[in-house]
Amino acid sequence: MPQRFLPLLAIAAMQPALAADRSAASCSLADVSSTLTASADGDRIIVPAGSCSWSGALTISKGVQVIGQGVGVTNIAGGRITVNVADGKSWRVSGLTITGTGGFNVIGGSKNGRIDHIAFNSVTGFTENRIIWINPTPGNYSAGLIDHITITDPKSIGIHVREDWGGGNNSYARTLGLGGLDAWYVEDSSFSQNTATYDVSSPLADCDGGGRIVFRHNTIDNNYFEMHDAIIGGLRSCRKWEIYNNTWTTTASKLAATGQFAQVAIRGGNGVIFNNTFTASTGVDIVVDNYRAGGQTGGSPWGQTCQASGTAKACLATSGSPPRSCSADSDCGGMAGSCVKIDGASSSLAGYPCRDQIGTDGGGAQTVRPALFWNNRVGTSQVAPTVEGRFDGRYLVEGRDYCIGPTTSSADDATQPTSCGGVAISYTPYTYPHPLQSSSSQAFPLQPPLNVFVR
């Protein structure tokens, strides 16, 4: 059996047998919390129809499912949910409408989480201004599925994926694994900005600190996907991104009013972007950047541009500690090879490759592994990525750091490149829909009789 299919077995094995359905007396925080307290791993907590206002947060630390009666049926104002479920357990939250200051703070290490069939309407995220904030505690990383959600008129970042509080070193120590399960998948969801103008600081998604995100089969109305490079103090770049089969609808007047200039903005890490449809062009529909190439510096240890001498070093140990400046392995706990150059030392291009720039791979000495773009279109015209003009364009070169499919009007010809700059590249998208959609699916509304009633 090919290795890429082995995770499917792991998913099936980790789905717990449902021990009991436990129905909360109401959708109030007190009733849902008491039902959760009485539950055990494998249980479902059924949240009934109604409209409730929560003044605190629900904390889920067990491998359970919290299931409302559906969007517009179970309505929670201020629905704040912290998920701290350990690795080896599965969890799910589904069937709600959330408004006000609400959202998710996912800090546990479970690799089988699911957030689905939830509407977030004009929501201000409750943790660091994020609506769905994936930020596991040090030494952990998580994975799972976000599907069939709607985020309408967000007042903060929609979905933000980060590896852990240790800055992302652990993620870079693992293989890139494009097309694998080691990521948060976002699929079959919609993101829209309906107001005449909106806050451009509220993108639909963000990623940094070693985060891994797959964004596919979604619809986007006047919003954009972004991610960060190694510029923010103590954080590595987003580790991997796969963005494909999405449809963007764009209104020129909204873009002009808000200052949004791209629909997909990539600043570091590695991945693939393909088969996306843009109904109107912004002129730079997909932009690729390298902020440290002479344009911007960040906090330690990235507080220099990558044109520097290439001698500055940072800790890349996998202990969960953030990257920090160093001069020897002893500064990083003594792990051999943990103190490495922040940037490359190319004789022809000082500092190339920049740490975690687009088209690189690896946690220690980085190698060039080009990113791929193909069959992204406005009408019949293929969209090529645009290199941001504010920075030194020599650090992001087509044919070396990234490659695109043939720029023809025929969709059949805009195929995936199989090599780039002499580097052979293979990629197969992971199965769609994600297996978690079928392994824990539940039609709405849920109807009695239920096994256990908790008041």
Side-chain angles (χ1 to χ4, degrees):
M1 179 181 294
Q3 185 176 2
R4 71 177 303 272
F5 291 105
L6 290 177
L8 284 170
L9 301 179
I11 283 183
M14 294 182 70
Q15 293 305 312
L18 293 177
D21 281 351
R22 300 176 180 271
S23 182
S26 76
C27 61
S28 73
L29 178 60
D31 285 337
V32 176
S33 295
S34 64
T35 308
L36 179 59
T37 298
S39 70
D41 289 344
D43 287 356
R44 288 193 309 181
I45 290 84
I46 310 302
V47 184
S51 296
C52 296
S53 181
W54 291 6
S55 59
L58 178 72
T59 298
I60 301 172
S61 58
K62 302 173 183 178
V64 298
Q65 299 185 42
V66 177
I67 310 294
Q69 300 299 292
V71 170
V73 181
T74 302
N75 306 305
I76 310 296
R80 298 182 289 278
I81 301 171
T82 296
V83 182
N84 189 14
V85 177
D87 190 12
K89 297 183 179 182
S90 301
W91 62 271
R92 181 189 181 202
V93 181
S94 181
L96 305 170
T97 292
I98 294 177
T99 57
T101 304
F104 286 77
N105 182 25
V106 181
I107 61 176
S110 169
K111 310 301 185 293
N112 283 273
R114 187 182 180 195
I115 299 170
D116 66 283
H117 295 88
I118 296 178
F120 300 91
N121 296 335
S122 299
V123 169
T124 300
F126 81 104
T127 302
E128 296 198 32
N129 209 35
R130 273 75 171 166
I131 295 174
I132 299 178
W133 183 210
I134 310 295
N135 188 23
T137 52
N140 279 318
Y141 69 94
S142 63
L145 173 65
I146 300 168
D147 69 283
H148 294 91
I149 70 165
T150 61
I151 296 182
T152 304
D153 294 335
K155 308 304 179 185
S156 58
I157 295 172
I159 300 169
H160 193 153
V161 179
R162 184 175 289 177
E163 170 74 3
D164 64 23
W165 298 349
N169 272 339
N170 292 338
S171 181
Y172 273 88
R174 302 196 306 277
T175 58
L176 181 63
L178 292 175
L181 270 173
D182 187 6
W184 274 91
Y185 279 69
V186 182
E187 64 190 37
D188 297 323
S189 296
S190 64
F191 305 83
S192 61
Q193 294 276 9
N194 296 320
T195 55
T197 62
Y198 66 92
D199 184 355
V200 75
S201 63
S202 300
L204 65 91
D206 201 343
C207 176
D208 59 21
R212 296 163 178 249
I213 184 169
V214 179
F215 189 81
R216 60 184 188 172
H217 297 273
N218 302 297
T219 59
I220 302 95
D221 176 13
N222 293 292
N223 208 323
Y224 65 104
F225 181 106
E226 72 167 2
M227 47 73 56
H228 285 79
D229 52 359
I231 193 78
I232 302 171
L235 292 176
R236 305 285 303 266
S237 170
C238 181
R239 176 67 167 115
K240 77 170 181 179
W241 29 268
E242 302 174 41
I243 305 168
Y244 57 91
N245 291 100
N246 304 292
T247 300
W248 264 267
T249 300
T250 305
T251 304
S253 60
K254 292 183 181 180
L255 297 180
T258 61
Q260 178 185 326
F261 72 103
Q263 299 182 89
V264 182
I266 305 297
R267 288 170 46 173
N270 208 307
V272 292
I273 300 179
F274 64 96
N275 290 357
N276 294 287
T277 300
F278 305 99
T279 60
S281 177
T282 63
V284 283
D285 302 289
I286 302 172
V287 64
V288 291
D289 292 336
N290 185 4
Y291 274 40
R292 291 185 58 246
Q296 183 176 345
T297 57
S300 176
W302 320 118
Q304 61 169 8
T305 61
C306 56
Q307 289 98 325
S309 63
T311 59
K313 296 183 177 182
C315 290
L316 296 179
T318 59
S319 63
S321 299
R324 60 185 185 278
S325 298
C326 61
S327 58
D329 289 346
S330 58
D331 298 329
C332 308
M335 182 183 297
S338 58
C339 183
V340 301
K341 290 180 180 178
I342 288 178
D343 298 311
S346 169
S347 59
S348 59
L349 186 59
Y352 177 84
C354 295
R355 174 59 54 179
D356 300 348
Q357 75 162 66
I358 293 171
T360 57
D361 189 25
Q366 293 192 302
T367 59
V368 174
R369 196 267 188 204
L372 301 180
F373 303 77
W374 73 94
N375 200 34
N376 301 293
R377 295 182 174 274
V378 177
T380 59
S381 300
Q382 185 165 229
V383 175
T386 301
V387 177
E388 172 55 56
R390 292 177 295 169
F391 309 118
D392 192 332
R394 296 177 300 164
Y395 289 80
L396 285 177
V397 176
E398 181 184 347
R400 182 193 67 190
D401 304 299
Y402 68 93
C403 282
I404 60 175
T407 53
T408 72
S409 60
S410 171
D412 293 335
D413 293 333
T415 56
Q416 172 185 337
T418 57
S419 66
C420 183
V423 179
I425 299 175
S426 62
Y427 168 76
T428 302
Y430 189 64
T431 183
Y432 169 82
H434 193 288
L436 284 175
Q437 283 209 40
S438 59
S439 62
S440 60
S441 62
Q442 172 64 55
F444 300 102
L446 292 170
Q447 299 291 343
L450 299 171
N451 296 339
V452 179
F453 186 84
V454 177
R455 183 176 294 279

